[in-house]
Amino acid sequence: MKDLLKLNKSGIPVAVIGLPYAGKTTLVNWLKEKRFTRPKPTIGLKFDQVVIGDVTFSIFDLSGQESFREEIWKTYAISSAGIIFVFDSSDEQKIEEAKKWFWIMMNEWLQGSFLDKVILFLANKSDLKKSMNLEEIIEELNLTKMSSLPDISFQIFKTSLRTESNLNYAMKWFFSKVRQNYEIENQEPLAIIISDSIGTPLFIHDPHNLVDDTGMFVGYLKALSGFTDELLGEEKFKVIKVDPHYFFIAEEKNIVISIAVEDENSLPEARRLSYLIQEVLKHSKWEVRDQKLSNFISDYYQKEKS
Ligand SMILES: Nc1nc2c(ncn2[C@@H]2O[C@H](COP(=O)(O)OP(=O)(O)O)[C@@H](O)[C@H]2O)c(=O)[nH]1
Ligand SMILES: [Mg+2]
């Protein structure tokens, strides 16, 4: 399991989820070979890499067997940048079961996931006579609710892998969105400065030498945020634009955290401040000498996670 998860690193992870016989493996085969196949049932999970444009995606084709859902679907749903939920639109009998698992995924597994998710719902097998229409599917699976969820990009398409109806369109939306989100999520911050409330830096990561005087920088941002507080009212997190970069500042327990990010697309990343700092510190060569600071970071991280 661990080894398989490691493969994430070699491409943008995408999970293909859905009940048995919906067309998951057929979809992955189509992505690879651009032709319709009649695959044997998948046992466990299958891993494939697909190159779209200049980007490699790691596709996890997850078996629909019941015993796999709680453990395997969940793991990959959480760790993937995008999820394709394949539904057999010709099988009215399984609509309740599909609904149940779709919403377990949304409400239980993806709650609190740090990555913004791209979710594509494929109402597949539209070529079959029994195929239900889209309105019916949206209604039965309660999919209108999806539009109100934060941090989710969602689309539903009616597709046929056999006739390729709508397929290119759906894939184009999905993979370009996943790529875009993933690049934003994984953007390195240009600088991170953590300081006490008077601006004395406790931790500095500034490989681009963006900030010459960290004390001054923090003081400046603090003053600016104080000013905007007065104008706009109390706010915990402030995002301040200082061209050509964006600076993000947060205050907690008398510690100020400033993050410089490259452009507007990076703002969601700044919001996940604590997670990022935790990750940065975990993987970095820089050590946190200050015990107060390292406690603060782990506290903050725990709080943010729960
Ligand atoms: N008619 C039709 N059959 C499809 C379509 N997509 C997949 N299938 C067939 O449905 C069966 C199950 O597909 P498979 O990919 O193995 O389902 P999985 O269990 O979700 O991986 C296969 O025989 C596919 O050829 C489609 O759009 N139309
Ligand atoms: Mg399969």
Side-chain angles (χ1 to χ4, degrees):
M1 188 72 177
K2 270 217 180 88
D3 285 343
L4 275 165
L5 281 171
K6 266 191 216 145
L7 288 170
N8 286 356
K9 293 227 164 30
S10 53
I12 303 179
V14 163
V16 185
I17 288 178
L19 300 182
Y21 211 69
K24 299 180 295 297
T25 307
T26 315
L27 172 69
V28 178
N29 289 348
W30 184 85
L31 287 169
K32 285 191 307 191
E33 304 164 19
K34 291 288 179 299
R35 65 185 186 92
F36 180 66
T37 55
R38 294 209 171 267
K40 294 203 184 80
T42 313
I43 310 289
L45 78 99
K46 231 169 94 242
F47 167 73
D48 269 301
Q49 286 199 316
V50 178
V51 180
I52 295 172
D54 53 349
V55 186
T56 305
F57 293 89
S58 301
I59 316 270
F60 297 92
D61 173 9
L62 307 179
S63 148
Q65 285 161 271
E66 181 107 38
S67 56
F68 270 83
R69 294 179 200 162
E70 194 57 52
E71 202 44 49
I72 311 276
W73 283 16
K74 181 180 173 182
T75 306
Y76 285 92
I78 291 171
S79 58
S80 291
I83 298 167
I84 305 178
F85 193 97
V86 187
F87 172 69
D88 179 349
S89 66
S90 74
D91 193 349
E92 221 176 324
Q93 305 233 304
K94 288 208 200 129
I95 201 160
E96 273 308 313
E97 201 188 355
K99 177 185 181 178
K100 175 183 142 191
W101 285 96
F102 182 82
W103 286 103
I104 287 180
M105 170 177 92
M106 292 310 307
N107 292 335
E108 293 175 24
W109 303 340
L110 299 186
Q111 276 279 332
S113 162
F114 287 113
L115 298 171
D116 284 353
K117 296 282 184 222
V118 182
I119 296 177
L120 172 65
F121 186 97
L122 290 188
N124 191 38
K125 306 199 188 182
S126 64
D127 57 287
L128 297 177
K129 264 212 215 85
K130 284 188 299 178
S131 171
M132 290 170 270
N133 67 42
L134 214 48
E135 289 72 37
E136 221 176 320
I137 295 168
I138 290 171
E139 165 94 26
E140 291 283 338
L141 275 109
N142 210 0
L143 294 177
T144 42
K145 227 173 91 187
M146 288 298 289
S147 58
S148 60
L149 300 179
D151 303 330
I152 298 274
S153 306
F154 178 73
Q155 280 290 343
I156 164 164
F157 288 93
K158 210 175 163 178
T159 55
S160 166
L161 283 159
R162 200 160 69 85
T163 65
E164 303 196 340
S165 158
N166 243 348
L167 205 53
N168 281 308
Y169 196 52
M171 292 305 125
K172 193 170 169 205
W173 174 80
F174 178 74
F175 284 104
S176 57
K177 194 81 195 159
V178 169
R179 176 192 181 164
Q180 189 192 346
N181 268 19
Y182 189 79
E183 283 169 359
I184 294 168
E185 295 279 350
N186 285 279
Q187 206 154 39
E188 279 267 337
L190 297 178
I192 298 177
I193 297 154
I194 303 174
S195 46
D196 66 19
S197 55
I198 1 172
T200 316
L202 300 168
F203 175 80
I204 301 165
H205 165 56
D206 184 17
H208 311 282
N209 290 320
L210 204 66
V211 182
D212 334 314
D213 184 338
T214 48
M216 193 114 122
F217 172 72
V218 172
Y220 168 68
L221 287 186
K222 275 206 70 181
L224 248 175
S225 73
F227 183 62
T228 53
D229 266 3
E230 266 179 44
L231 281 178
L232 308 167
E234 251 320 305
E235 245 188 79
K236 189 107 199 140
F237 296 96
K238 297 109 192 167
V239 179
I240 300 157
K241 187 185 174 190
V242 185
D243 250 338
H245 305 290
Y246 280 83
F247 295 110
F248 168 78
I249 184 164
E251 282 185 64
E252 182 92 14
K253 297 182 191 160
N254 294 328
I255 293 183
V256 182
I257 300 164
S258 326
I259 298 180
V261 287
E262 200 155 20
D263 59 27
E264 192 163 13
N265 289 334
S266 309
L267 294 177
E269 183 63 30
R271 268 183 238 121
R272 272 173 291 275
L273 163 78
S274 57
Y275 177 64
L276 179 121
I277 290 175
Q278 180 75 12
E279 290 296 306
V280 167
L281 295 181
K282 215 162 59 191
H283 297 121
S284 73
K285 312 106 228 156
W286 328 305
E287 44 180 318
V288 185
R289 280 194 213 87
D290 190 294
Q291 191 56 42
K292 193 170 99 189
L293 173 63
S294 91
N295 291 345
F296 160 73
I297 290 171
S298 56
D299 271 14
Y300 204 111
Y301 178 65
Q302 287 307 331
K303 213 172 71 194
E304 195 68 10
K305 237 174 103 176
S306 57

